[in-house]
């Protein structure tokens, strides 16, 4: 499927050079610009708690992606694509280990991860059929949509990841040179991932499957846009809703809480523990309350 | 025909179980399918998978039974916030956001997801579902006393019940916030363990310490002589107050997620004190249950049922002749229990209820493969084993296992380190056949069912202790996993082959690295093994010998069919 060998030495990284000569109209071009402002990214890495949380999150994303890709490699019939996907999975798992090591270094310097996320019920996790908990790959995408869609999805996601890691590498270049080197290393691999997926798609296109490839790419890009749009809406709603509930707590809850406290003092025994006899239920499956 | 889908939703381990005319067809946790450990949502994929296993569409279901009553739980949550006022504005906002957004509308969400009329969605008390699930592994025509010691269901935290031929009668309960389970979670978290799921690790760690003065902890829990407790609402609702009180009782809080090592004597003594206090309270509750339901058989469910030494204490010092814990004591098991409340089981339920496809192949069918696996183990290799349907519940019951020789020095540490787990806190079992179990485990005849699913720690004979030193826990006990002949896990053939080679049994742990679940499919098992330090994997396709450089060096030998 994909003509080049995945077993190139990482130091030479011939894929990256080839990437600059991708044919015109290649599926996805990497941008050197990040979406977030560089100063915001720098501020992010200056805060050890956020930096630690981000590194752990990157590690989880890479590890989860690696597992998905490895599972996809087991499913494909093409030996060459399997080799690329396996190399890709290895890269992702190695990245996860690198990010974990960086997190451990940060922890050794005294940074602590924030408490476990309380956002389980946050609307931000909505659209759960499309979003994995950690990242960009929908589970079982390979089985559900097939080879071309999977590689297209990988291609778009990897191009985006390369863009992000590039921004992080530049932002940490002076602040955390060690971290910048890590991002550079990851970025080299991400460029290879973008390049081999691009080549696969290009070859399928030449083999007469151009419409299928274009549709898959459109779908991959549009689903990212749709998710981004949905997340924006949900984040706004979640923030607004939480604010309303804070106000409710102090405005409406106060009198009831005071009454409850008074009641528990006067009744003396409602919450003192001890065994309570259960009422017999003739129809255990009736009612919600 | 009575087709019932049991569901646990909006809890830590969402799960689904399908029961048709009293026969459990399949049961699955959602995290076995989506690999997400976050949980707390609808088990959509698990529902689809168990329905597919039963060859049904959702519209064919007669009932969908949820393992709790959400409005009662909402009432309890509101009351908790009222008691905690003015602490916890943030917790209120977060909690109510979830409740008002999703949880309150569980019936509509389930009906919409499964595309069934809302009237078919029913609800059952959480404790009732736990009790039905706890008794499911035993003969259904007997009566059993059921002790459910949980964190909290709707209001009930500890429940005394009896189960007669699958029909559950709730007798007495303690209500929120007076909860042994929540108290244990708070203490576990204070000592650096996970608040839920690390109960067995905390108990194992406690063996290294000496219980201190129980009075301070008894005062924290408000322990009474009859097993009743009186925990302050503020202790549960406000983390700040909880931390202050616990620091006065257990010393300085440890880093979350970094459990202490046995060399930390202070932490070990604190853990021993906690476990001792909880054991005494549970024993007192069991005695009260025996007064209410004077039966010979006790089943335990809920959070504290995950503690094998507590189960052993109930066996050795409690009033019941036999004690049993199911392999699914947690919320996932409640899904099965909910379905069984609507359609009581007609037979003992084995834990191998997951879904998988192996193209009709099973390594257990190949005696040569079992022999080869046993030979590798005898030669000192760490071997992965995947056979049959995945188990439902907390661990894989031998169906997705990593094996080694229990007599080889350092084998336990090597096995756990290969799976990136801590040798101080990782759980291992000694897989034995029934004959060896009867000969070498003290009290096996009284805890037969619990030993079959590895949920009890028993005293070994001197000979077993000599031949399997790596299987001994720090207190000299053994967590036995007794494998009956023709086990769906296929492990019985490896155990038999190992016995022929002179091994008394196999040291077993779940085939899962730290933080992950045992794999469901063969491909996931291979992935797990390739990223661990195991030497070989035995699956339906044969024996994969794994090199240190993982992916490229995996080789596969087709077994010779019998």
């Amino acid at each position: 499927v994909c003509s080049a060998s995945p077993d190139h030495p990482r130091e030479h990284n011939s894929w990256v050079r080839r990437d600059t000569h991708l044919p015109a109209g290649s599926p996805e071009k990497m941008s050197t610009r990040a979406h977030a402002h560089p100063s915001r990214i720098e501020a992010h890495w200056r805060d050890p708690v956020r930096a630690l949380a981000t590194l752990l999150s990157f590690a989880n994303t890479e590890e989860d992606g690696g597992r998905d890709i490895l599972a996809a490699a087991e499913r494909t019939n093409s030996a060459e694509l399997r080799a690329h996907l396996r190399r890709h999975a290895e890269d992702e798992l190695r990245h996860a280990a690198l990010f974990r090591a960086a997190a451990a270094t940060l922890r050794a310097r005294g940074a602590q991860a924030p408490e476990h996320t309380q956002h389980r019920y946050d609307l931000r996790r909505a659209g759960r059929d499309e979003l994995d908990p950690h990242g960009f790959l929908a589970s079982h995408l390979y089985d559900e949509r097939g080879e071309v869609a999977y590689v297209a999805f990988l291609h778009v996601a990897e191009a985006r990841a390369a863009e992000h890691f590039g921004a992080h590498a530049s932002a940490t270049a002076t602040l955390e040179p060690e971290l910048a080197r890590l991002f550079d290393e990851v970025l080299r691999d991400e460029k290879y991932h973008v390049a081999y997926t691009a080549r696969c798609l290009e070859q399928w296109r030449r083999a007469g499957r151009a419409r299928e490839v274009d549709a898959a790419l459109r779908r991959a890009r549009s689903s990212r846009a749709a998710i981004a749009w949905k997340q924006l809406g949900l984040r706004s709603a979640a923030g607004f809703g939480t604010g309303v509930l804070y106000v409710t707590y102090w405005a409406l809850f106060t009198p009831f809480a005071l009454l409850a406290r008074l009641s528990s003092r006067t009744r003396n025994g409602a919450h003192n523990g001890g065994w309570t006899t259960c009422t017999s239920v003739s129809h255990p499956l009736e009612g919600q309350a | 025909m009575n087709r019932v889908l049991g569901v646990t939703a909006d809890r830590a381990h969402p799960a689904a179980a399908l029961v048709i005319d009293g026969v459990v067809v399949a049961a699955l946790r959602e995290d076995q399918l989506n690999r997400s450990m976050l949980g707390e949502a609808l088990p959509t994929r698990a529902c689809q998978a168990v329905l597919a296993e039963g060859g049904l569409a959702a519209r064919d279901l007669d009932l969908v039974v949820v393992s709790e009553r959400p409005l009662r739980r909402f009432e309890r949550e509101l009351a908790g916030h009222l008691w905690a006022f003015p602490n916890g504005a943030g917790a209120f906002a977060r909690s109510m956001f979830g409740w008002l957004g999703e949880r309150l509308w569980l019936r509509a969400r389930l009906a919409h997801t499964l595309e069934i009329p809302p009237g078919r969605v029913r609800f059952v008390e959480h404790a009732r579902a736990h009790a039905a699930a706890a008794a499911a592994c035993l003969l259904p025509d007997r009566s059993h006393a059921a002790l459910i010691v949980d964190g909290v269901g709707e209001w009930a935290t500890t429940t005394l019940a009896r189960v007669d031929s699958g029909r559950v009668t709730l007798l007495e309960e303690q209500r929120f916030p007076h909860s042994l389970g929540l108290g244990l979670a708070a203490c576990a978290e204070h000592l650096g363990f996970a608040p839920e799921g690390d109960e067995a690790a905390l108990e194992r760690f406690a063996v290294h310490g000496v219980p201190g003065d129980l009075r301070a902890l008894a005062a924290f829990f408000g322990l009474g002589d009859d097993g009743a407790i009186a925990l302050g609402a503020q202790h549960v609702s406000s983390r700040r107050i909880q931390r202050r009180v616990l620091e006065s009782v257990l010393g300085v809080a440890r880093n979350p997620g970094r459990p202490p090592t046995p060399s930390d004597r202070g932490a070990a003594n604190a853990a021993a004190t906690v476990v001792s206090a909880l054991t005494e309270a549970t024993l007192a509750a069991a005695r009260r249950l025996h007064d209410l339901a004077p039966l010979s058989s006790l089943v335990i469910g809920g959070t504290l049922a995950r503690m094998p030494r507590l189960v052993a204490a109930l066996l050795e010092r409690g009033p019941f002749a036999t004690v049993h814990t199911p392999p699914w004591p947690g919320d996932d098991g409640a899904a099965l229990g909910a379905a069984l409340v609507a359609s009581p089981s007609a037979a003992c339920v084995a834990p191998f209820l997951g879904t998988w496809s192996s193209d009709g192949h099973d390594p257990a069918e190949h005696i040569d493969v079992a022999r080869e696996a046993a030979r590798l183990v005898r030669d000192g290799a760490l071997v992965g084993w995947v056979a049959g349907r995945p188990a439902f519940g907390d661990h894989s019951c031998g169906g997705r296992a990593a094996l080694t020789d229990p007599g080889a020095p350092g084998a336990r540490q090597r096995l756990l380190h290969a799976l990136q787990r801590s040798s101080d806190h990782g759980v291992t079992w000694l897989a034995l056949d029934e004959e060896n179990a009867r000969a070498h485990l003290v009290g096996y005849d009284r805890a037969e069912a619990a030993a079959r699913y590895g949920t009890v720690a028993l005293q070994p004979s001197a000979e077993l202790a000599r031949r399997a030193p790596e299987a001994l826990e720090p207190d000299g006990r053994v967590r036995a996993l007794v494998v009956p002949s023709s086990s769906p896990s296929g492990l019985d053939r490896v155990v038999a082959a190992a016995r022929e080679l002179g091994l008394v049994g196999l040291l077993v742990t779940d085939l899962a690295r730290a933080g992950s679940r045992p794999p469901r499919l063969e491909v996931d098992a291979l992935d797990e093994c390739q990223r661990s330090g195991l030497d070989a994997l035995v699956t339906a396709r044969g024996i994969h010998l794994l090199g240190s450089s993982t992916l490229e060096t995996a080789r596969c030998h087709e077994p010779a069919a019998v």
Side-chain angles (χ1 to χ4, degrees):
Chain A
V1 176
C2 317
S3 55
S5 158
D7 302 324
H8 63 88
R10 285 198 174 91
E11 294 74 25
H12 301 301
N13 227 333
S14 52
W15 273 102
V16 178
R17 285 200 297 276
R18 269 181 230 155
D19 181 52
T20 56
H21 301 295
L22 279 174
S26 68
E28 195 81 3
K29 284 190 174 145
M30 281 180 291
S31 156
T32 50
R33 286 183 297 112
H35 289 288
H37 195 273
S39 62
R40 280 188 63 190
I41 301 179
E42 267 188 48
H44 188 95
W45 290 108
R46 276 205 183 91
D47 180 349
V49 174
R50 286 167 71 193
L52 180 58
T54 306
L55 285 171
L56 291 173
S57 154
F58 282 172
N60 287 337
T61 306
E62 296 286 308
E63 189 167 12
D64 210 43
R67 291 181 70 130
D68 276 326
I69 294 162
L70 197 60
E74 294 294 321
R75 285 161 170 81
T76 182
N77 292 324
S78 154
E80 281 190 72
L81 180 59
R82 187 181 304 121
H84 279 298
L85 288 172
R86 282 185 171 180
R87 157 79 200 278
H88 188 159
E90 274 192 334
D91 286 346
E92 300 285 346
L93 300 176
R94 192 166 47 79
H95 296 167
L98 289 172
F99 283 126
R100 289 237 156 78
T105 311
L106 212 56
R107 231 192 230 119
R109 280 194 249 151
Q112 284 203 350
E115 282 192 12
H116 187 64
T117 178
Q118 296 291 325
H119 294 152
R120 289 172 184 178
Y121 289 96
D122 201 316
L123 279 177
R124 276 172 278 196
R125 73 173 177 75
R128 49 193 169 271
D129 293 339
E130 292 145 271
L131 275 174
D132 256 4
H134 296 311
F136 46 80
L137 284 172
S139 294
H140 312 301
L141 188 71
Y142 189 95
D143 290 336
E144 285 166 15
R145 297 189 193 171
E147 201 166 61
V148 174
Y150 186 79
V151 173
F153 211 94
L154 268 186
H155 178 72
V156 173
E158 292 296 320
R160 180 69 171 260
E163 199 176 303
H164 277 286
F165 285 132
H168 287 300
S170 341
T172 50
T174 50
L175 197 67
E176 291 274 359
E178 279 291 312
L179 212 51
R181 268 194 289 280
L182 190 159
F183 281 124
D184 280 335
E185 188 179 341
V186 172
L187 186 58
R188 273 204 302 276
D189 293 332
E190 299 295 350
K191 285 179 180 169
Y192 153 66
H193 302 155
V194 174
Y196 92 79
T197 47
R199 195 160 295 270
C200 282
L201 293 171
E202 191 55 36
Q203 287 184 0
W204 280 322
R205 199 193 296 273
R206 283 184 197 149
R209 298 171 74 181
R211 289 180 67 177
E212 195 183 347
V213 168
D214 290 342
L217 279 170
R218 262 199 311 276
R219 197 167 173 181
R221 287 189 194 115
S222 68
S223 68
R224 291 197 64 84
I227 289 167
W229 173 247
K230 206 184 280 183
Q231 278 188 334
L232 179 69
L234 292 170
R235 277 185 187 154
S236 317
F240 178 74
T242 307
V244 168
L245 284 165
Y246 264 103
V247 174
T248 308
Y249 185 78
W250 294 111
L252 296 180
F253 220 56
T254 309
F256 293 105
L258 295 176
L259 277 174
R261 187 161 294 185
L262 194 67
S263 158
S264 66
R265 275 189 196 151
T266 52
R267 274 197 290 159
N268 190 27
H271 311 300
N272 282 355
W275 295 100
T276 309
T277 306
C278 300
T279 48
S280 64
V281 179
S282 51
H283 301 290
L285 297 175
E286 293 301 320
Q288 288 196 60
Chain B
M1 193 178 266
N2 191 2
R3 291 159 293 205
V4 183
L5 181 71
V7 170
T8 291
D10 295 339
R11 281 190 167 264
H13 298 298
L18 179 66
V19 177
I20 301 178
D21 287 336
V23 177
V24 182
V25 175
L28 265 181
R29 269 161 68 148
E30 184 75 356
D31 61 16
Q32 286 179 285
L33 296 166
N34 67 3
R35 302 198 305 253
S36 163
M37 303 300 273
L38 280 178
E40 302 211 20
L42 285 188
T44 315
R45 285 186 175 138
C47 288
Q48 287 165 355
V50 297
L51 286 170
E53 187 74 15
L56 295 180
R59 63 176 175 278
D60 301 327
L61 292 168
D62 295 311
L63 286 178
V64 175
V65 185
V66 181
S67 65
E68 70 171 359
R69 295 181 185 274
L71 289 186
R72 295 270 291 154
R73 190 170 163 205
F74 180 62
E75 177 193 44
R76 186 257 298 165
E77 292 240 356
L78 267 184
H81 289 300
L82 281 174
W83 295 334
F85 187 86
N87 298 300
F92 172 83
R94 282 192 298 271
S95 158
M96 287 305 117
F97 199 93
W99 273 103
L100 299 176
E102 287 187 336
R103 287 169 151 196
L104 267 181
W105 327 113
L106 183 56
R107 172 174 283 183
R109 283 162 60 209
L110 268 173
H112 176 74
T113 304
L114 296 172
E115 296 177 353
I116 56 170
R120 286 194 207 165
V121 181
R122 304 290 176 87
F123 302 89
V124 67
E125 300 103 316
H126 195 58
R128 190 182 296 275
H130 266 308
C137 284
L138 300 174
L139 287 173
D141 56 345
R142 306 266 170 84
S143 293
H144 312 281
L147 174 61
I148 310 302
V149 195
D150 206 7
V152 60
E154 294 87 5
W155 277 97
T157 58
T158 304
T159 306
L160 311 181
R162 59 179 295 157
V163 186
D164 302 288
S165 305
R167 209 172 67 82
V168 179
T169 309
L170 302 180
L171 302 171
E172 284 189 350
E173 66 186 19
Q174 289 186 70
R175 294 186 169 187
F176 180 83
H178 314 299
S179 167
L180 284 174
L182 290 180
L184 172 67
C187 293
E189 194 171 17
H190 192 83
L191 292 171
F193 292 86
E196 191 185 344
D198 264 2
E199 293 85 1
L202 174 71
E203 196 191 38
R204 187 176 192 279
F205 176 67
V207 171
H208 296 286
V210 180
D213 184 3
L214 291 181
R215 278 173 301 183
L217 203 64
F220 170 70
F221 281 116
L223 293 178
D225 293 338
D226 59 352
I229 68 166
L231 206 63
Q234 295 272 4
H235 295 169
V236 176
S237 306
S238 164
R239 293 177 69 85
R240 190 168 50 83
I241 295 174
Q242 188 184 91
R243 186 177 174 127
R244 200 177 62 215
V245 174
L246 283 176
E247 278 190 346
S248 69
V249 180
L250 301 176
V252 182
R254 264 65 183 179
N255 279 341
R258 301 280 300 273
T261 56
S263 58
D264 187 342
R265 303 300 300 171
N269 291 343
T273 311
V274 169
V275 170
S276 182
L278 287 172
T279 304
E280 294 307 319
T282 312
L283 273 166
R287 289 189 198 105
R288 186 176 179 89
L289 173 59
H290 192 257
D291 292 342
L292 294 169
L295 301 165
S296 61
S297 166
L298 171 70
V299 292
I300 320 166
T303 310
L304 266 68
R306 291 198 180 107
M307 300 169 76
R309 283 169 195 80
L310 177 74
V311 178
L314 285 166
L315 188 72
E316 290 157 8
R317 295 164 56 199
F320 294 93
T322 63
V323 177
H324 173 61
T325 313
W328 44 70
D331 289 338
D332 47 349
L336 176 62
L340 291 174
V341 169
S343 177
S345 172
C348 291
V349 181
F352 304 99
L353 298 168
T355 58
W356 91 315
S357 164
S358 64
D359 303 328
H361 295 103
D362 203 318
E365 291 171 8
H366 303 291
I367 290 176
D368 283 356
V369 172
R371 283 202 187 117
E372 184 68 9
R375 192 188 60 74
L376 285 167
V377 167
R378 187 204 54 189
D379 294 345
L382 306 175
V383 178
W385 173 259
V386 175
R389 296 173 70 178
F392 179 57
D394 284 349
H395 69 97
S396 70
C397 291
R400 304 285 184 276
L403 320 170
T404 192
D405 176 5
R412 182 178 183 278
Q413 190 177 35
R414 273 202 319 125
L415 185 67
L416 290 170
H417 283 185
L419 292 162
Q420 299 160 18
R421 303 216 303 260
S422 154
S423 55
D424 289 331
H425 304 293
V427 179
T428 52
W429 290 266
L430 178 64
L432 293 167
D433 57 24
E434 285 181 306
E435 191 185 331
N436 265 331
R438 270 182 219 293
H440 294 298
L441 294 175
V442 179
Y444 168 67
D445 52 336
R446 293 176 59 207
E448 195 176 328
R452 205 175 301 149
Y453 304 124
T455 52
V456 64
L458 296 171
Q459 285 289 356
S461 69
E463 190 193 342
L464 185 64
R466 184 180 56 77
R467 292 178 64 189
E470 288 294 308
L472 297 182
E473 298 278 298
D475 58 351
R477 290 177 182 270
V478 163
R479 284 196 72 170
L481 183 68
V482 180
V483 192
S485 57
S486 308
S487 165
S489 72
L491 201 60
D492 56 314
R493 298 184 190 224
V494 191
V495 170
R499 201 174 164 182
E500 284 173 16
L501 294 172
L503 304 182
V504 69
L506 298 165
L507 192 67
V508 172
T509 191
D510 279 345
L511 182 57
R513 290 168 308 129
S516 64
R517 289 267 308 152
R520 191 172 63 90
L521 303 175
E522 185 183 319
V523 61
D524 296 330
L526 189 58
D527 173 31
E528 198 73 22
C529 284
Q530 282 165 337
R531 288 203 259 154
S532 71
L534 297 185
D535 301 309
L537 172 69
V538 182
T539 72
R541 285 189 210 164
I543 297 176
H544 303 259
L545 299 176
L546 306 163
S548 55
S549 62
T550 65
L551 298 168
E552 280 77 20
T553 54
R555 301 197 303 274
C556 179
H557 300 289
E558 284 296 331
V562 178

